[in-house]
Amino acid sequence: MSVDRVEQTEGAEQIEALSATTTSLRYYSIAPGVRLNVRNGPGTSFGVVRVLTEGSKVPIYCQTPGTTVTGPYGTSKIWDNISNGQYVSDAYVQTGSDGYVADRCG
């Protein structure tokens, strides 16, 4: 995200929030050798909207509980929101944790 200019009328809180948003986003690798289904909800019953290619990295905007899935990084009910209305199972994302690494989707 880039900002060309900031209106003087904006408060310091808005500028700090914008800065925190752009600096806190991390990208995580999906499991090696995996083509990962991206679904339109946090579970295997939701439709596949696209497939990530091997070697992809994804941002995690928020996480939410959903269908339990077993993958290369264990068994998890956590689903990662990687874009507006797009989710992947955390069991296929190398976050370095068995728990939540981002805020809960709300």
Side-chain angles (χ1 to χ4, degrees), residues 9-106:
T9 57
E10 289 184 337
E13 301 84 24
Q14 290 174 312
I15 294 169
E16 287 176 17
L18 179 60
S19 177
T21 300
T22 59
T23 58
S24 63
L25 186 61
R26 288 191 52 200
Y27 283 78
Y28 299 89
S29 297
I30 63 168
V34 170
R35 294 181 69 235
L36 185 58
N37 289 334
V38 178
R39 297 182 178 273
N40 62 1
T44 55
S45 63
F46 289 89
V48 175
V49 295
R50 64 184 172 123
V51 178
L52 297 175
T53 59
E54 293 180 32
S56 292
K57 291 187 175 202
V58 295
I60 299 177
Y61 293 101
C62 62
Q63 295 176 299
T64 191
T67 306
T68 300
V69 173
T70 299
Y73 300 117
T75 299
S76 179
K77 67 177 183 176
I78 299 172
W79 285 74
D80 305 330
N81 176 262
I82 62 166
S83 188
N84 189 22
Q86 296 184 17
Y87 297 84
V88 295
S89 170
D90 196 63
Y92 286 88
V93 181
Q94 187 176 22
T95 62
S97 173
D98 288 336
Y100 289 87
V101 298
D103 292 338
R104 295 252 183 139
C105 301

Side-chain angles (χ1 to χ4, degrees), residues 2-10 15 18:
S2 66
V3 177
D4 292 330
R5 65 185 181 95
V6 176
E7 296 290 332
Q8 277 189 309
T9 57
E10 289 184 337
I15 294 169
L18 179 60

